[in-house]
Amino acid sequence: MHHAPAGGVVEHAAPAPAAPADASAPAPDHAVIGAASGLLGQYRAAADEAFFASPTRTLLTAGVHARVPQDERPLPVRVAATLAEARRAGVERPLVVGAVAFDHDSRVELAVPERVRRAGALRDDPLIALPAPPAEPVDWQVRPIPEPAAYGAGVAAAVERLRGGELSKVVLARTLELTADRPLDLPAILQRLGRRDPGGYTFAVPAGGGRTLIGASPELLLSRSGTAVLANPLAGSVPRSADLGEDVRRAAALLESPKDLHEHAVVVDAIRVALEPYCRTLEVPARPTLVRTAAMWHLATTITGELADPAVSALELATALHPTPAVCGTPTAVARRVIGEVEPFDRGLYTGMVGWGDADGDGEWVVTIRCAEADERTLRVYAGAGVVDRSRPEDELAETSAKFRTFLDAAGVSQ
């Protein structure tokens, strides 16, 4: 194992991995101005359409050639079999796109599309700086689940269990159910998400039952390109400030916060332990950097490695990591039990993973945060906070409120 120091501020995501190993595959078009933002603008929220943008590429898919089945086989086995069948059926360069639930044994929404259009990264497209369509006035009904006071009480109870030694960390989430007085314009919401944070991971994929999972995550769980592996865990956060001086002060304080540094170290160590058996080499920086989004500062660590066995796919690695302490807690089994006891809702796809994987094993899988599940008139928006023994309920409530803002601003919700 090698350790390297790290420092500074990164705009959103870790360095992009190398180009795909398949030299016969045409590369995304990085040269055509407007190619990536054009795909963003062409998303139409159809039931068989998916959009995914990362710091390496932009994908817009249409049609469904095959869906990954839900059965007793491990998820990577099911996906590999579905891709192999698609290749035998004549699908050129098949890939799966979609989402996997927090409990990846319970639900997957993955499909091999009939058509895939590719472009370079949104952040490399000059036209992404053009303004998104403004949000139309909507009369929203908002129902928090749980109520803020109940969420704070749940955090306080979890802190007592943490101090008693039952576990080291647990991530507790809450949701907002929003109902609009008119049909939602999901393509416009996606435009605002993508144009606000073009260096992150923007997605809109079918979520089953006529619903759409839509969001803009700052956190890469795992990518693989050939034998190169990249993870970019985020843990430890503080809201941004509109005042430049205060914003800088908050960022500097986050880098020195014992509570947040401890929370972050727990996540990094868990990912290191999970990846070590798969990697010939693994680079884990000794200290985190800062990543900024439009709404939040995050502590981040860029972990890079080289696979010992090139047959191990990105999805197999991602499922070995998931759920990390960044979205669940540690020990994992105890944290999951506490989440089930405290959270009065099923997380579904929230804090699962969303992305793509191809038949050669390459792929990008992102932690499903800063997101909502949407249907014609309703949104269910999610946010969570890592609770450790130094946590205060009022701080975690404020953190989740700040994290809601990424999606609420894109949807035009003023509260």
Side-chain angles (χ1 to χ4, degrees):
M1 165 119 21
H2 305 282
H3 295 272
V9 177
V10 179
E11 186 72 36
H12 266 298
D22 181 5
S24 67
D29 193 342
H30 293 266
V32 177
I33 293 176
S37 59
L39 293 185
L40 175 65
Q42 292 167 47
Y43 172 74
R44 291 292 175 263
D48 63 349
E49 194 169 285
F51 178 90
F52 180 84
S54 76
T56 70
R57 74 201 67 220
T58 304
L59 303 175
L60 180 64
T61 75
V64 174
H65 172 79
R67 298 188 187 278
V68 174
Q70 186 70 59
D71 58 36
E72 298 303 316
R73 294 173 294 169
L75 177 59
V77 173
R78 283 181 273 147
V79 168
T82 304
L83 288 168
E85 290 167 6
R87 181 175 271 174
R88 287 194 296 270
V91 177
E92 186 179 359
R93 299 169 57 212
L95 53 78
V96 293
V97 179
V100 178
F102 175 61
D103 179 1
H104 60 73
D105 292 326
S106 70
R107 178 182 172 196
V108 295
E109 300 291 346
L110 296 172
V112 177
E114 291 179 340
R115 298 176 298 283
V116 182
R117 298 172 63 190
R118 298 170 171 86
L122 286 178
R123 67 178 179 183
D124 296 332
D125 184 345
L127 297 189
I128 201 63
L130 296 176
E136 296 182 359
V138 174
D139 184 12
W140 294 99
Q141 293 182 351
V142 182
R143 183 166 75 100
I145 303 173
E147 292 288 342
Y151 178 78
V155 170
V159 168
E160 290 302 311
R161 298 171 76 165
L162 288 154
R163 290 174 178 169
E166 185 177 351
L167 69 170
S168 300
K169 175 185 175 179
V170 64
V171 178
L172 296 179
R174 62 192 187 102
T175 76
L176 299 177
E177 283 192 351
L178 299 101
T179 304
D181 63 346
R182 66 194 68 187
L184 300 174
D185 188 346
L186 294 185
I189 293 175
L190 186 70
Q191 282 260 4
R192 290 189 286 272
L193 288 168
R195 292 183 183 275
R196 188 183 191 207
D197 283 316
Y201 300 86
T202 305
F203 53 88
V205 300
R211 297 184 301 276
T212 299
L213 176 70
I214 180 171
S217 174
E219 184 170 4
L220 174 69
L221 178 64
L222 190 288
S223 70
R224 197 209 87 165
S225 181
T227 59
V229 173
L230 179 67
N232 187 214
L234 307 185
S237 307
V238 68
R240 301 287 304 275
S241 172
D243 177 82
L244 178 59
E246 172 62 14
D247 196 44
V248 172
R249 187 198 68 76
R250 291 183 184 183
L254 181 61
L255 273 175
E256 301 299 327
S257 164
K259 179 258 186 188
D260 291 286
L261 287 170
H262 168 68
E263 180 184 342
H264 188 80
V266 168
V267 177
V268 171
D269 190 56
I271 290 177
R272 176 188 59 78
V273 170
L275 285 180
E276 275 182 331
Y278 296 96
C279 291
R280 178 177 291 111
T281 62
L282 198 63
E283 299 278 350
V284 183
R287 286 185 61 84
T289 60
L290 285 172
V291 164
R292 63 189 175 198
T293 69
M296 303 291 295
W297 286 105
H298 299 281
L299 294 177
T301 294
T302 301
I303 299 172
T304 56
E306 182 184 0
L307 281 177
D309 180 1
V312 177
S313 71
L315 183 60
E316 184 175 347
L317 292 166
T319 53
L321 298 182
H322 175 75
T324 75
V327 297
C328 181
T330 186
T332 303
V334 180
R336 292 186 88 142
R337 187 178 71 246
V338 173
I339 288 169
E341 293 170 359
V342 174
E343 292 181 358
F345 55 87
D346 180 357
R347 288 191 178 186
L349 298 175
Y350 170 64
T351 61
M353 48 190 176
V354 60
W356 65 274
D358 67 19
D360 295 320
D362 288 339
E364 294 176 299
W365 296 100
V366 176
V367 182
T368 311
I369 52 177
R370 313 296 184 273
C371 64
E373 283 201 35
D375 59 23
E376 185 180 10
R377 291 175 182 260
T378 65
L379 295 169
R380 174 168 266 193
V381 187
Y382 298 87
V387 181
V388 295
D389 59 3
R390 303 184 189 188
S391 293
R392 301 190 307 167
E394 59 270 29
D395 293 341
E396 310 309 340
L397 186 63
E399 181 176 323
T400 53
S401 296
K403 289 174 176 176
F404 278 137
R405 286 263 50 100
T406 295
F407 201 93
L408 296 182
D409 288 348
V413 183
S414 60
Q415 86 156 26

PDB file of all heavy atoms in Angstrom, residues 186-221:
ATOM      1  N   LEU A 186     -39.791  17.437 -15.934  1.00  0.00           N
ATOM      2  CA  LEU A 186     -38.549  16.798 -15.522  1.00  0.00           C
ATOM      3  C   LEU A 186     -37.369  17.155 -16.426  1.00  0.00           C
ATOM      4  O   LEU A 186     -36.250  17.335 -15.920  1.00  0.00           O
ATOM      5  CB  LEU A 186     -38.727  15.285 -15.448  1.00  0.00           C
ATOM      6  CG  LEU A 186     -39.683  14.767 -14.363  1.00  0.00           C
ATOM      7  CD1 LEU A 186     -39.668  13.247 -14.343  1.00  0.00           C
ATOM      8  CD2 LEU A 186     -39.314  15.313 -12.995  1.00  0.00           C
ATOM      9  N   PRO A 187     -37.540  17.265 -17.749  1.00  0.00           N
ATOM     10  CA  PRO A 187     -36.397  17.686 -18.565  1.00  0.00           C
ATOM     11  C   PRO A 187     -35.847  19.049 -18.150  1.00  0.00           C
ATOM     12  O   PRO A 187     -34.628  19.253 -18.144  1.00  0.00           O
ATOM     13  CB  PRO A 187     -36.967  17.712 -19.985  1.00  0.00           C
ATOM     14  CG  PRO A 187     -38.045  16.677 -19.966  1.00  0.00           C
ATOM     15  CD  PRO A 187     -38.672  16.832 -18.601  1.00  0.00           C
ATOM     16  N   ALA A 188     -36.715  19.980 -17.772  1.00  0.00           N
ATOM     17  CA  ALA A 188     -36.239  21.296 -17.340  1.00  0.00           C
ATOM     18  C   ALA A 188     -35.504  21.199 -16.006  1.00  0.00           C
ATOM     19  O   ALA A 188     -34.486  21.866 -15.789  1.00  0.00           O
ATOM     20  CB  ALA A 188     -37.408  22.271 -17.235  1.00  0.00           C
ATOM     21  N   ILE A 189     -36.005  20.361 -15.093  1.00  0.00           N
ATOM     22  CA  ILE A 189     -35.308  20.153 -13.815  1.00  0.00           C
ATOM     23  C   ILE A 189     -33.930  19.561 -14.070  1.00  0.00           C
ATOM     24  O   ILE A 189     -32.928  20.000 -13.477  1.00  0.00           O
ATOM     25  CB  ILE A 189     -36.139  19.251 -12.888  1.00  0.00           C
ATOM     26  CG1 ILE A 189     -37.419  19.970 -12.450  1.00  0.00           C
ATOM     27  CG2 ILE A 189     -35.326  18.834 -11.668  1.00  0.00           C
ATOM     28  CD1 ILE A 189     -38.371  19.107 -11.631  1.00  0.00           C
ATOM     29  N   LEU A 190     -33.838  18.574 -14.972  1.00  0.00           N
ATOM     30  CA  LEU A 190     -32.550  17.975 -15.292  1.00  0.00           C
ATOM     31  C   LEU A 190     -31.600  19.002 -15.895  1.00  0.00           C
ATOM     32  O   LEU A 190     -30.409  19.028 -15.565  1.00  0.00           O
ATOM     33  CB  LEU A 190     -32.745  16.807 -16.268  1.00  0.00           C
ATOM     34  CG  LEU A 190     -31.479  15.994 -16.564  1.00  0.00           C
ATOM     35  CD1 LEU A 190     -31.060  15.183 -15.339  1.00  0.00           C
ATOM     36  CD2 LEU A 190     -31.696  15.074 -17.765  1.00  0.00           C
ATOM     37  N   GLN A 191     -32.109  19.865 -16.751  1.00  0.00           N
ATOM     38  CA  GLN A 191     -31.281  20.932 -17.325  1.00  0.00           C
ATOM     39  C   GLN A 191     -30.693  21.804 -16.220  1.00  0.00           C
ATOM     40  O   GLN A 191     -29.497  22.130 -16.232  1.00  0.00           O
ATOM     41  CB  GLN A 191     -32.134  21.800 -18.263  1.00  0.00           C
ATOM     42  CG  GLN A 191     -32.396  21.199 -19.605  1.00  0.00           C
ATOM     43  CD  GLN A 191     -31.468  21.771 -20.677  1.00  0.00           C
ATOM     44  OE1 GLN A 191     -30.586  22.564 -20.400  1.00  0.00           O
ATOM     45  NE2 GLN A 191     -31.678  21.341 -21.904  1.00  0.00           N
ATOM     46  N   ARG A 192     -31.518  22.186 -15.259  1.00  0.00           N
ATOM     47  CA  ARG A 192     -31.020  23.060 -14.184  1.00  0.00           C
ATOM     48  C   ARG A 192     -29.996  22.328 -13.318  1.00  0.00           C
ATOM     49  O   ARG A 192     -29.008  22.921 -12.879  1.00  0.00           O
ATOM     50  CB  ARG A 192     -32.197  23.584 -13.359  1.00  0.00           C
ATOM     51  CG  ARG A 192     -33.055  24.592 -14.124  1.00  0.00           C
ATOM     52  CD  ARG A 192     -34.079  25.280 -13.251  1.00  0.00           C
ATOM     53  NE  ARG A 192     -35.199  24.430 -12.903  1.00  0.00           N
ATOM     54  CZ  ARG A 192     -36.306  24.295 -13.647  1.00  0.00           C
ATOM     55  NH1 ARG A 192     -36.413  24.946 -14.798  1.00  0.00           N
ATOM     56  NH2 ARG A 192     -37.291  23.519 -13.255  1.00  0.00           N
ATOM     57  N   LEU A 193     -30.221  21.041 -13.047  1.00  0.00           N
ATOM     58  CA  LEU A 193     -29.243  20.270 -12.280  1.00  0.00           C
ATOM     59  C   LEU A 193     -27.911  20.186 -13.019  1.00  0.00           C
ATOM     60  O   LEU A 193     -26.841  20.405 -12.434  1.00  0.00           O
ATOM     61  CB  LEU A 193     -29.780  18.865 -12.016  1.00  0.00           C
ATOM     62  CG  LEU A 193     -30.910  18.723 -10.997  1.00  0.00           C
ATOM     63  CD1 LEU A 193     -31.521  17.332 -11.078  1.00  0.00           C
ATOM     64  CD2 LEU A 193     -30.418  19.003  -9.577  1.00  0.00           C
ATOM     65  N   GLY A 194     -27.967  19.848 -14.307  1.00  0.00           N
ATOM     66  CA  GLY A 194     -26.743  19.675 -15.075  1.00  0.00           C
ATOM     67  C   GLY A 194     -25.976  20.962 -15.287  1.00  0.00           C
ATOM     68  O   GLY A 194     -24.743  20.975 -15.250  1.00  0.00           O
ATOM     69  N   ARG A 195     -26.679  22.044 -15.521  1.00  0.00           N
ATOM     70  CA  ARG A 195     -26.006  23.318 -15.768  1.00  0.00           C
ATOM     71  C   ARG A 195     -25.510  23.970 -14.478  1.00  0.00           C
ATOM     72  O   ARG A 195     -24.566  24.761 -14.516  1.00  0.00           O
ATOM     73  CB  ARG A 195     -26.943  24.256 -16.538  1.00  0.00           C
ATOM     74  CG  ARG A 195     -27.216  23.785 -17.957  1.00  0.00           C
ATOM     75  CD  ARG A 195     -28.088  24.737 -18.738  1.00  0.00           C
ATOM     76  NE  ARG A 195     -28.380  24.209 -20.068  1.00  0.00           N
ATOM     77  CZ  ARG A 195     -27.592  24.339 -21.132  1.00  0.00           C
ATOM     78  NH1 ARG A 195     -26.440  24.993 -21.006  1.00  0.00           N
ATOM     79  NH2 ARG A 195     -27.928  23.834 -22.297  1.00  0.00           N
ATOM     80  N   ARG A 196     -26.113  23.633 -13.349  1.00  0.00           N
ATOM     81  CA  ARG A 196     -25.662  24.216 -12.084  1.00  0.00           C
ATOM     82  C   ARG A 196     -24.362  23.571 -11.613  1.00  0.00           C
ATOM     83  O   ARG A 196     -23.483  24.250 -11.085  1.00  0.00           O
ATOM     84  CB  ARG A 196     -26.751  24.032 -11.017  1.00  0.00           C
ATOM     85  CG  ARG A 196     -26.445  24.787  -9.727  1.00  0.00           C
ATOM     86  CD  ARG A 196     -27.507  24.529  -8.687  1.00  0.00           C
ATOM     87  NE  ARG A 196     -27.360  25.440  -7.550  1.00  0.00           N
ATOM     88  CZ  ARG A 196     -27.742  25.179  -6.318  1.00  0.00           C
ATOM     89  NH1 ARG A 196     -28.297  24.009  -6.049  1.00  0.00           N
ATOM     90  NH2 ARG A 196     -27.591  26.048  -5.351  1.00  0.00           N
ATOM     91  N   ASP A 197     -24.217  22.268 -11.782  1.00  0.00           N
ATOM     92  CA  ASP A 197     -23.028  21.540 -11.342  1.00  0.00           C
ATOM     93  C   ASP A 197     -22.542  20.611 -12.460  1.00  0.00           C
ATOM     94  O   ASP A 197     -22.638  19.383 -12.348  1.00  0.00           O
ATOM     95  CB  ASP A 197     -23.335  20.723 -10.077  1.00  0.00           C
ATOM     96  CG  ASP A 197     -23.390  21.579  -8.829  1.00  0.00           C
ATOM     97  OD1 ASP A 197     -22.512  22.446  -8.658  1.00  0.00           O
ATOM     98  OD2 ASP A 197     -24.314  21.376  -8.022  1.00  0.00           O
ATOM     99  N   PRO A 198     -22.010  21.176 -13.557  1.00  0.00           N
ATOM    100  CA  PRO A 198     -21.667  20.338 -14.708  1.00  0.00           C
ATOM    101  C   PRO A 198     -20.473  19.417 -14.477  1.00  0.00           C
ATOM    102  O   PRO A 198     -20.238  18.516 -15.274  1.00  0.00           O
ATOM    103  CB  PRO A 198     -21.365  21.352 -15.815  1.00  0.00           C
ATOM    104  CG  PRO A 198     -20.950  22.591 -15.083  1.00  0.00           C
ATOM    105  CD  PRO A 198     -21.779  22.613 -13.831  1.00  0.00           C
ATOM    106  N   GLY A 199     -19.719  19.618 -13.401  1.00  0.00           N
ATOM    107  CA  GLY A 199     -18.581  18.748 -13.126  1.00  0.00           C
ATOM    108  C   GLY A 199     -18.928  17.531 -12.307  1.00  0.00           C
ATOM    109  O   GLY A 199     -18.046  16.724 -11.998  1.00  0.00           O
ATOM    110  N   GLY A 200     -20.184  17.390 -11.929  1.00  0.00           N
ATOM    111  CA  GLY A 200     -20.592  16.260 -11.099  1.00  0.00           C
ATOM    112  C   GLY A 200     -21.196  15.145 -11.927  1.00  0.00           C
ATOM    113  O   GLY A 200     -20.833  14.919 -13.078  1.00  0.00           O
ATOM    114  N   TYR A 201     -22.127  14.443 -11.316  1.00  0.00           N
ATOM    115  CA  TYR A 201     -22.763  13.282 -11.946  1.00  0.00           C
ATOM    116  C   TYR A 201     -24.266  13.549 -11.991  1.00  0.00           C
ATOM    117  O   TYR A 201     -24.938  13.522 -10.964  1.00  0.00           O
ATOM    118  CB  TYR A 201     -22.470  12.009 -11.151  1.00  0.00           C
ATOM    119  CG  TYR A 201     -20.990  11.712 -11.046  1.00  0.00           C
ATOM    120  CD1 TYR A 201     -20.214  12.271 -10.034  1.00  0.00           C
ATOM    121  CD2 TYR A 201     -20.365  10.888 -11.982  1.00  0.00           C
ATOM    122  CE1 TYR A 201     -18.854  12.002  -9.941  1.00  0.00           C
ATOM    123  CE2 TYR A 201     -19.010  10.614 -11.897  1.00  0.00           C
ATOM    124  CZ  TYR A 201     -18.258  11.181 -10.877  1.00  0.00           C
ATOM    125  OH  TYR A 201     -16.907  10.921 -10.794  1.00  0.00           O
ATOM    126  N   THR A 202     -24.780  13.826 -13.178  1.00  0.00           N
ATOM    127  CA  THR A 202     -26.188  14.177 -13.368  1.00  0.00           C
ATOM    128  C   THR A 202     -26.899  12.998 -14.017  1.00  0.00           C
ATOM    129  O   THR A 202     -26.376  12.398 -14.956  1.00  0.00           O
ATOM    130  CB  THR A 202     -26.308  15.422 -14.256  1.00  0.00           C
ATOM    131  OG1 THR A 202     -25.536  16.486 -13.689  1.00  0.00           O
ATOM    132  CG2 THR A 202     -27.762  15.868 -14.368  1.00  0.00           C
ATOM    133  N   PHE A 203     -28.096  12.670 -13.518  1.00  0.00           N
ATOM    134  CA  PHE A 203     -28.750  11.456 -14.019  1.00  0.00           C
ATOM    135  C   PHE A 203     -30.262  11.596 -13.994  1.00  0.00           C
ATOM    136  O   PHE A 203     -30.833  12.327 -13.187  1.00  0.00           O
ATOM    137  CB  PHE A 203     -28.337  10.235 -13.193  1.00  0.00           C
ATOM    138  CG  PHE A 203     -28.531  10.403 -11.700  1.00  0.00           C
ATOM    139  CD1 PHE A 203     -29.731  10.085 -11.090  1.00  0.00           C
ATOM    140  CD2 PHE A 203     -27.498  10.888 -10.908  1.00  0.00           C
ATOM    141  CE1 PHE A 203     -29.915  10.254  -9.725  1.00  0.00           C
ATOM    142  CE2 PHE A 203     -27.660  11.060  -9.536  1.00  0.00           C
ATOM    143  CZ  PHE A 203     -28.870  10.736  -8.944  1.00  0.00           C
ATOM    144  N   ALA A 204     -30.886  10.878 -14.898  1.00  0.00           N
ATOM    145  CA  ALA A 204     -32.342  10.696 -14.917  1.00  0.00           C
ATOM    146  C   ALA A 204     -32.581   9.338 -15.550  1.00  0.00           C
ATOM    147  O   ALA A 204     -32.298   9.144 -16.741  1.00  0.00           O
ATOM    148  CB  ALA A 204     -33.037  11.797 -15.702  1.00  0.00           C
ATOM    149  N   VAL A 205     -33.039   8.373 -14.750  1.00  0.00           N
ATOM    150  CA  VAL A 205     -33.206   6.998 -15.233  1.00  0.00           C
ATOM    151  C   VAL A 205     -34.556   6.468 -14.779  1.00  0.00           C
ATOM    152  O   VAL A 205     -35.091   6.890 -13.746  1.00  0.00           O
ATOM    153  CB  VAL A 205     -32.077   6.081 -14.712  1.00  0.00           C
ATOM    154  CG1 VAL A 205     -30.711   6.583 -15.182  1.00  0.00           C
ATOM    155  CG2 VAL A 205     -32.100   5.967 -13.197  1.00  0.00           C
ATOM    156  N   PRO A 206     -35.145   5.545 -15.543  1.00  0.00           N
ATOM    157  CA  PRO A 206     -36.421   4.954 -15.115  1.00  0.00           C
ATOM    158  C   PRO A 206     -36.285   4.270 -13.766  1.00  0.00           C
ATOM    159  O   PRO A 206     -35.296   3.581 -13.488  1.00  0.00           O
ATOM    160  CB  PRO A 206     -36.726   3.952 -16.228  1.00  0.00           C
ATOM    161  CG  PRO A 206     -35.986   4.459 -17.423  1.00  0.00           C
ATOM    162  CD  PRO A 206     -34.725   5.051 -16.878  1.00  0.00           C
ATOM    163  N   ALA A 207     -37.290   4.468 -12.913  1.00  0.00           N
ATOM    164  CA  ALA A 207     -37.272   3.899 -11.560  1.00  0.00           C
ATOM    165  C   ALA A 207     -38.363   2.866 -11.355  1.00  0.00           C
ATOM    166  O   ALA A 207     -38.620   2.458 -10.223  1.00  0.00           O
ATOM    167  CB  ALA A 207     -37.411   5.021 -10.525  1.00  0.00           C
ATOM    168  N   GLY A 208     -39.035   2.448 -12.438  1.00  0.00           N
ATOM    169  CA  GLY A 208     -40.102   1.458 -12.331  1.00  0.00           C
ATOM    170  C   GLY A 208     -41.415   2.099 -11.961  1.00  0.00           C
ATOM    171  O   GLY A 208     -41.468   3.158 -11.330  1.00  0.00           O
ATOM    172  N   GLY A 209     -42.503   1.478 -12.369  1.00  0.00           N
ATOM    173  CA  GLY A 209     -43.834   1.970 -12.026  1.00  0.00           C
ATOM    174  C   GLY A 209     -44.142   3.344 -12.576  1.00  0.00           C
ATOM    175  O   GLY A 209     -44.949   4.079 -11.997  1.00  0.00           O
ATOM    176  N   GLY A 210     -43.513   3.726 -13.681  1.00  0.00           N
ATOM    177  CA  GLY A 210     -43.753   5.036 -14.266  1.00  0.00           C
ATOM    178  C   GLY A 210     -43.000   6.163 -13.579  1.00  0.00           C
ATOM    179  O   GLY A 210     -43.197   7.333 -13.929  1.00  0.00           O
ATOM    180  N   ARG A 211     -42.133   5.833 -12.623  1.00  0.00           N
ATOM    181  CA  ARG A 211     -41.380   6.863 -11.910  1.00  0.00           C
ATOM    182  C   ARG A 211     -40.009   7.068 -12.547  1.00  0.00           C
ATOM    183  O   ARG A 211     -39.513   6.222 -13.288  1.00  0.00           O
ATOM    184  CB  ARG A 211     -41.216   6.488 -10.432  1.00  0.00           C
ATOM    185  CG  ARG A 211     -42.531   6.388  -9.673  1.00  0.00           C
ATOM    186  CD  ARG A 211     -42.300   6.100  -8.194  1.00  0.00           C
ATOM    187  NE  ARG A 211     -41.565   4.855  -7.999  1.00  0.00           N
ATOM    188  CZ  ARG A 211     -42.126   3.659  -7.973  1.00  0.00           C
ATOM    189  NH1 ARG A 211     -43.433   3.531  -8.133  1.00  0.00           N
ATOM    190  NH2 ARG A 211     -41.383   2.569  -7.787  1.00  0.00           N
ATOM    191  N   THR A 212     -39.397   8.205 -12.212  1.00  0.00           N
ATOM    192  CA  THR A 212     -38.059   8.553 -12.689  1.00  0.00           C
ATOM    193  C   THR A 212     -37.181   8.896 -11.504  1.00  0.00           C
ATOM    194  O   THR A 212     -37.604   9.641 -10.613  1.00  0.00           O
ATOM    195  CB  THR A 212     -38.111   9.759 -13.646  1.00  0.00           C
ATOM    196  OG1 THR A 212     -38.917   9.436 -14.779  1.00  0.00           O
ATOM    197  CG2 THR A 212     -36.720  10.152 -14.112  1.00  0.00           C
ATOM    198  N   LEU A 213     -35.983   8.342 -11.475  1.00  0.00           N
ATOM    199  CA  LEU A 213     -34.970   8.743 -10.496  1.00  0.00           C
ATOM    200  C   LEU A 213     -34.140   9.841 -11.147  1.00  0.00           C
ATOM    201  O   LEU A 213     -33.525   9.631 -12.192  1.00  0.00           O
ATOM    202  CB  LEU A 213     -34.085   7.552 -10.130  1.00  0.00           C
ATOM    203  CG  LEU A 213     -32.915   7.851  -9.192  1.00  0.00           C
ATOM    204  CD1 LEU A 213     -33.408   8.178  -7.789  1.00  0.00           C
ATOM    205  CD2 LEU A 213     -31.937   6.678  -9.165  1.00  0.00           C
ATOM    206  N   ILE A 214     -34.109  11.009 -10.525  1.00  0.00           N
ATOM    207  CA  ILE A 214     -33.451  12.167 -11.118  1.00  0.00           C
ATOM    208  C   ILE A 214     -32.626  12.877 -10.048  1.00  0.00           C
ATOM    209  O   ILE A 214     -33.055  12.992  -8.900  1.00  0.00           O
ATOM    210  CB  ILE A 214     -34.493  13.116 -11.765  1.00  0.00           C
ATOM    211  CG1 ILE A 214     -33.828  14.337 -12.405  1.00  0.00           C
ATOM    212  CG2 ILE A 214     -35.581  13.528 -10.785  1.00  0.00           C
ATOM    213  CD1 ILE A 214     -34.805  15.173 -13.242  1.00  0.00           C
ATOM    214  N   GLY A 215     -31.427  13.308 -10.422  1.00  0.00           N
ATOM    215  CA  GLY A 215     -30.596  13.966  -9.425  1.00  0.00           C
ATOM    216  C   GLY A 215     -29.245  14.373  -9.965  1.00  0.00           C
ATOM    217  O   GLY A 215     -28.949  14.247 -11.162  1.00  0.00           O
ATOM    218  N   ALA A 216     -28.396  14.888  -9.067  1.00  0.00           N
ATOM    219  CA  ALA A 216     -27.041  15.329  -9.395  1.00  0.00           C
ATOM    220  C   ALA A 216     -26.152  15.003  -8.204  1.00  0.00           C
ATOM    221  O   ALA A 216     -26.083  15.764  -7.239  1.00  0.00           O
ATOM    222  CB  ALA A 216     -27.007  16.820  -9.707  1.00  0.00           C
ATOM    223  N   SER A 217     -25.483  13.865  -8.265  1.00  0.00           N
ATOM    224  CA  SER A 217     -24.648  13.403  -7.162  1.00  0.00           C
ATOM    225  C   SER A 217     -23.231  13.933  -7.292  1.00  0.00           C
ATOM    226  O   SER A 217     -22.685  13.983  -8.394  1.00  0.00           O
ATOM    227  CB  SER A 217     -24.605  11.872  -7.130  1.00  0.00           C
ATOM    228  OG  SER A 217     -23.699  11.412  -6.144  1.00  0.00           O
ATOM    229  N   PRO A 218     -22.608  14.313  -6.172  1.00  0.00           N
ATOM    230  CA  PRO A 218     -21.195  14.689  -6.229  1.00  0.00           C
ATOM    231  C   PRO A 218     -20.244  13.525  -6.012  1.00  0.00           C
ATOM    232  O   PRO A 218     -19.029  13.707  -6.082  1.00  0.00           O
ATOM    233  CB  PRO A 218     -21.076  15.692  -5.074  1.00  0.00           C
ATOM    234  CG  PRO A 218     -22.048  15.179  -4.052  1.00  0.00           C
ATOM    235  CD  PRO A 218     -23.199  14.587  -4.838  1.00  0.00           C
ATOM    236  N   GLU A 219     -20.763  12.310  -5.733  1.00  0.00           N
ATOM    237  CA  GLU A 219     -19.903  11.253  -5.198  1.00  0.00           C
ATOM    238  C   GLU A 219     -19.811  10.029  -6.093  1.00  0.00           C
ATOM    239  O   GLU A 219     -20.795   9.315  -6.309  1.00  0.00           O
ATOM    240  CB  GLU A 219     -20.403  10.823  -3.817  1.00  0.00           C
ATOM    241  CG  GLU A 219     -19.509   9.800  -3.147  1.00  0.00           C
ATOM    242  CD  GLU A 219     -19.864   9.553  -1.692  1.00  0.00           C
ATOM    243  OE1 GLU A 219     -20.868  10.119  -1.214  1.00  0.00           O
ATOM    244  OE2 GLU A 219     -19.134   8.785  -1.039  1.00  0.00           O
ATOM    245  N   LEU A 220     -18.594   9.782  -6.585  1.00  0.00           N
ATOM    246  CA  LEU A 220     -18.301   8.566  -7.326  1.00  0.00           C
ATOM    247  C   LEU A 220     -18.054   7.430  -6.344  1.00  0.00           C
ATOM    248  O   LEU A 220     -17.182   7.513  -5.487  1.00  0.00           O
ATOM    249  CB  LEU A 220     -17.060   8.766  -8.193  1.00  0.00           C
ATOM    250  CG  LEU A 220     -16.537   7.535  -8.926  1.00  0.00           C
ATOM    251  CD1 LEU A 220     -17.508   7.106 -10.019  1.00  0.00           C
ATOM    252  CD2 LEU A 220     -15.152   7.808  -9.511  1.00  0.00           C
ATOM    253  N   LEU A 221     -18.817   6.350  -6.496  1.00  0.00           N
ATOM    254  CA  LEU A 221     -18.559   5.163  -5.684  1.00  0.00           C
ATOM    255  C   LEU A 221     -17.352   4.418  -6.241  1.00  0.00           C
ATOM    256  O   LEU A 221     -16.368   4.183  -5.528  1.00  0.00           O
ATOM    257  CB  LEU A 221     -19.788   4.259  -5.672  1.00  0.00           C
ATOM    258  CG  LEU A 221     -19.647   2.935  -4.894  1.00  0.00           C
ATOM    259  CD1 LEU A 221     -19.414   3.188  -3.408  1.00  0.00           C
ATOM    260  CD2 LEU A 221     -20.872   2.058  -5.104  1.00  0.00           C
TER     261      LEU A 221
END
